[in-house]
Amino acid sequence: MTEIAVQVDHVSKSFRLYHERNQSLKSAIMRGRTSVHEDFWALDDVTFDVPTGSTFGLIGSNGSGKSTLLKCLAKIYFPNKGEITPFGRIAAMLEVGSGFHTELSGRENIFLNGSILGMTKKEVTSKFDEIVEFSGVEQFIDQPVKNYSSGMYVRLGFAIAINVDPDILVVDEVLAVGDAEFQEKCLQKFRDFRTAGKTVILVSHDMGSISTMCDQAAWLRNGQLVVAGPADSTIKAYTDSFSTGSGDPATSGDTEG
Amino acid sequence: MRYLKEVFSARELLANLTLREIRGKYKRTIFGQLWSLANPLALMLIYTFVFAFIFRVRPDKGDPSGLDVFALWLLCGLLPWTFFANVVNMGLASLVTNSGLIQKVYFTRIVLPLSMVASAAYNWIFEMGVLIIALIIVGAWVLPWIPLVILIMLLLAIFAAGVALMLSIANVYFRDTQYFLTIILQLWMYLTPIIYPSSLVVAQSARVGGLFGTSITVSDIYHLNPMQHFVEVFRNLLYDNRFPDLGEWLVCTGWAVGSIVIGTIVFRRNERNLAETL
């Protein structure tokens, strides 16, 4: 086995399903409690390793826990049990352009967004030209971003995020941004990433892009890991489960086997 | 300690968020930064009219400065108060208004309320600068006291930051906090000697004597208000031009340290759950 980039060790994450939620002080006092809830396990004892230098795909149907896992990887959620250990700098791209201030110019937003994503001013300055070039908004860089088209907005956000230059990049279905030309640029960037020996973890529903981009994959169902391993066999197992009707849709539960 | 290091390493982000706040605030206005003076000036005019002209409130002359200008006397207390109120209001809302960011990106969350403190402080420094110039023009000997003014400003900022941290968390769980705060701040302002001198309270309290047969007087309770001590120190330095009582310094420092310690602990405990709770 090669080196490990991220170790996901028996990770469980529960959310509270509220039957009653008293978010105002009055109702909390009147009812004598802040909430009535039961736990819903969005992730249940998930364990796998992501090898260094791989492009790792997370697949599964809606509500299978992919996004929760991604948010745990991005340190936005914290698992109730288990641990996620990254070996290297991790950067997450769950939404592009979050934290943009619409009244500020593209230039100011690059610095702002870069620092939100954990870059130092020096890093942003040195990558500034690259970011602007990649986004293709050179002409409008000193305009407030509220005047940007939605495509420009997203491209700028993506260009900043991809230039954070982490060891491990976590991506949520943001590949579907921009026109075909920009998408090709993004794919190229991911390929560069891989040749540089860096790790990409991504979530997508598009089996085509998963199978072309990923060499490793993990399949989640109802918060549990079904299988993790080489992409081809995992995807095949996942798609096969549709035809046999054993795994999906999620409502069928644990009827398999 | 590790937490402090983490916060310290996020100082660039803090600076950038503060700049976002400052730059974004007066974008597309004609008067820009001058707007931050408009609110205190309007308050000054109306309070001076009502309390100095109609009610005839007569604060003691500045001792030893000899100043006798109600408007300036008022501003020495009003500007610290409006800063405090701004920090608490903006800090409280900072987590809820940035919920999108919190749910999508990982960063040290504490920079959100702290950036509000910093951007309010930016405006405040501007206002205080104008006030000091005005004081110098009417003949107050302020210059030697400026280092101590900066020190008390720092203490007030720390005190306000602690309160803002606590309330920002409270507001995530109970959105009532923001409405509650509006009322509290209004009451609090009148319980602080901003538009009247605290000597009036002391005099009235001496007349009433101990409350309900105890030796506790109104003035004792009145002095529990930390803002009363802060305002007193500001007035001593700026208006009277004398060194405030050492006891006042200790009380202010105590409140500042207590507030920031509790605020940080509360914030840290709840920081991890923010993304889910929002």
Side-chain angles (χ1 to χ4, degrees):
Chain A
M1 196 67 188
T2 47
E3 271 180 81
I4 296 165
V6 184
Q7 194 171 30
V8 178
D9 186 22
H10 297 284
V11 166
S12 299
K13 174 76 197 165
S14 72
F15 288 106
R16 288 174 169 187
L17 292 182
Y18 289 97
H19 299 299
E20 175 188 325
R21 188 156 194 203
N22 299 317
Q23 254 190 332
S24 74
L25 211 53
K26 178 197 137 227
S27 51
I29 292 168
M30 299 279 283
R31 308 283 301 175
R33 58 196 168 199
T34 53
S35 60
V36 176
H37 62 264
E38 58 180 297
D39 286 337
F40 166 77
W41 291 92
L43 287 177
D44 191 6
D45 202 23
V46 175
T47 302
F48 61 85
D49 294 333
V50 180
T52 304
S54 66
T55 304
F56 195 95
L58 287 173
I59 54 178
S61 54
N62 288 330
S64 59
K66 303 182 301 291
S67 292
T68 305
L69 181 57
L70 221 54
K71 284 192 168 179
C72 288
L73 286 167
K75 291 205 279 184
I76 291 166
Y77 291 163
F78 292 86
N80 304 71
K81 287 185 219 153
E83 234 176 296
I84 294 177
T85 325
F87 298 92
R89 183 176 174 189
I90 196 161
M93 206 189 298
L94 302 187
E95 184 187 80
V96 289
S98 28
F100 274 1
H101 191 297
T102 50
E103 289 283 351
L104 299 181
S105 70
R107 183 187 300 274
E108 289 167 316
N109 268 308
I110 289 180
F111 282 95
L112 174 63
N113 208 257
S115 72
I116 290 174
L117 295 174
M119 287 157 100
T120 63
K121 195 172 175 186
K122 235 165 89 188
E123 282 176 292
V124 183
T125 316
S126 68
K127 287 194 178 150
F128 188 81
D129 293 331
E130 206 179 321
I131 293 172
V132 176
E133 201 216 299
F134 191 83
S135 65
V137 297
E138 292 96 336
Q139 230 183 316
F140 311 103
I141 196 66
D142 287 311
Q143 299 300 313
V145 294
K146 64 173 178 181
N147 294 341
Y148 283 22
S149 74
S150 54
M152 283 157 67
Y153 189 93
V154 172
R155 265 161 30 209
L156 184 63
F158 191 86
I160 300 167
I162 197 104
N163 276 295
V164 173
D165 200 23
D167 302 309
I168 304 146
L169 180 68
V170 178
V171 187
D172 195 3
E173 302 187 79
V174 285
L175 285 173
V177 302
D179 47 23
E181 188 196 337
F182 187 72
Q183 288 204 15
E184 181 47 45
K185 254 177 163 175
C186 296
L187 287 179
Q188 185 53 46
K189 195 81 188 176
F190 281 121
R191 267 176 241 133
D192 294 348
F193 238 77
R194 200 149 93 191
T195 40
K198 294 178 174 178
T199 313
V200 180
I201 303 172
L202 59 93
V203 158
S204 180
H205 282 291
D206 179 7
M207 284 309 130
S209 68
I210 291 268
S211 60
T212 51
M213 293 181 62
C214 299
D215 44 26
Q216 296 276 319
W219 168 22
L220 288 172
R221 190 181 57 210
N222 297 335
Q224 285 169 329
L225 183 72
V226 182
V227 62
D232 298 339
S233 58
T234 311
I235 292 169
K236 188 167 184 309
Y238 176 58
T239 42
D240 283 352
S241 72
F242 302 140
S243 45
T244 55
S246 59
D248 286 279
T251 42
S252 67
D254 290 318
T255 51
E256 188 193 32
Chain B
M1 247 6 246
R2 243 188 55 225
Y3 190 65
L4 284 184
K5 232 172 120 185
E6 194 186 323
V7 175
F8 185 70
S9 65
R11 63 192 182 283
E12 249 179 49
L13 174 58
L14 179 61
N16 274 322
L17 284 172
T18 309
L19 277 180
R20 169 176 89 155
E21 206 51 47
I22 293 169
R23 283 192 190 145
K25 192 166 185 186
Y26 297 115
K27 267 266 151 101
R28 307 193 56 198
T29 61
I30 294 171
F31 295 113
Q33 189 60 43
L34 283 178
W35 272 117
S36 77
L37 290 179
N39 194 28
L41 277 181
L43 286 176
M44 183 197 86
L45 287 177
I46 193 67
Y47 285 150
T48 305
F49 177 72
V50 173
F51 291 95
F53 184 70
I54 301 179
F55 284 159
R56 299 229 144 279
V57 172
R58 287 257 147 218
D60 294 338
K61 269 192 184 172
D63 171 29
S65 73
L67 287 190
D68 193 12
V69 186
F70 182 84
L72 291 179
W73 178 86
L74 173 77
L75 282 177
C76 291
L78 188 63
L79 292 185
W81 171 263
T82 46
F83 164 73
F84 173 75
N86 282 342
V87 166
V88 174
N89 269 322
M90 288 157 62
L92 169 129
S94 62
L95 294 179
V96 174
T97 46
N98 284 299
S99 60
L101 203 53
I102 291 173
Q103 281 161 333
K104 292 295 178 189
V105 194
Y106 169 79
F107 57 94
T108 315
R109 312 306 194 192
I110 203 166
V111 297
L112 285 174
L114 290 186
S115 73
M116 296 298 167
V117 179
S119 77
Y122 175 85
N123 282 334
W124 187 36
I125 290 168
F126 186 60
E127 294 162 9
M128 291 295 272
V130 174
L131 173 64
I132 286 174
I133 291 170
L135 283 166
I136 290 171
I137 290 172
V138 300
W141 185 232
V142 193
L143 288 177
W145 300 107
I146 286 181
L148 285 176
V149 172
I150 293 172
L151 178 64
I152 190 69
M153 283 172 81
L154 211 60
L155 285 177
L156 178 58
I158 292 171
F159 173 67
V163 176
L165 287 178
M166 285 178 243
L167 291 178
S168 66
I169 292 291
N171 197 42
V172 170
Y173 290 98
F174 297 104
R175 302 287 151 90
D176 307 54
T177 318
Q178 50 195 320
Y179 305 108
F180 201 52
L181 182 74
T182 332
I183 299 172
I184 293 288
L185 281 178
Q186 217 151 33
L187 298 180
W188 197 346
M189 185 185 143
Y190 283 94
L191 288 175
T192 307
I194 295 167
I195 45 186
Y196 57 85
S198 59
S199 56
L200 290 184
V201 180
V202 176
Q204 191 63 21
S205 157
R207 217 166 296 149
V208 175
L211 293 171
F212 313 113
T214 60
S215 62
I216 303 166
T217 61
V218 175
S219 145
D220 291 338
I221 300 170
Y222 187 77
H223 281 85
L224 290 177
N225 173 8
M227 284 310 286
Q228 188 261 330
H229 299 277
F230 277 105
V231 166
E232 221 59 72
V233 172
F234 273 106
R235 282 235 170 91
N236 281 167
L237 291 170
L238 291 168
Y239 193 76
D240 302 331
N241 304 140
R242 66 181 148 98
F243 187 77
D245 207 34
L246 205 60
E248 297 283 343
W249 282 106
L250 287 178
V251 173
C252 291
T253 313
W255 276 103
V257 171
S259 148
I260 197 72
V261 167
I262 297 173
T264 316
I265 291 172
V266 168
F267 198 88
R268 222 195 138 179
R269 281 225 176 130
N270 292 285
E271 188 176 37
R272 289 183 152 217
N273 297 325
L274 284 180
E276 287 166 52
T277 319
L278 273 165

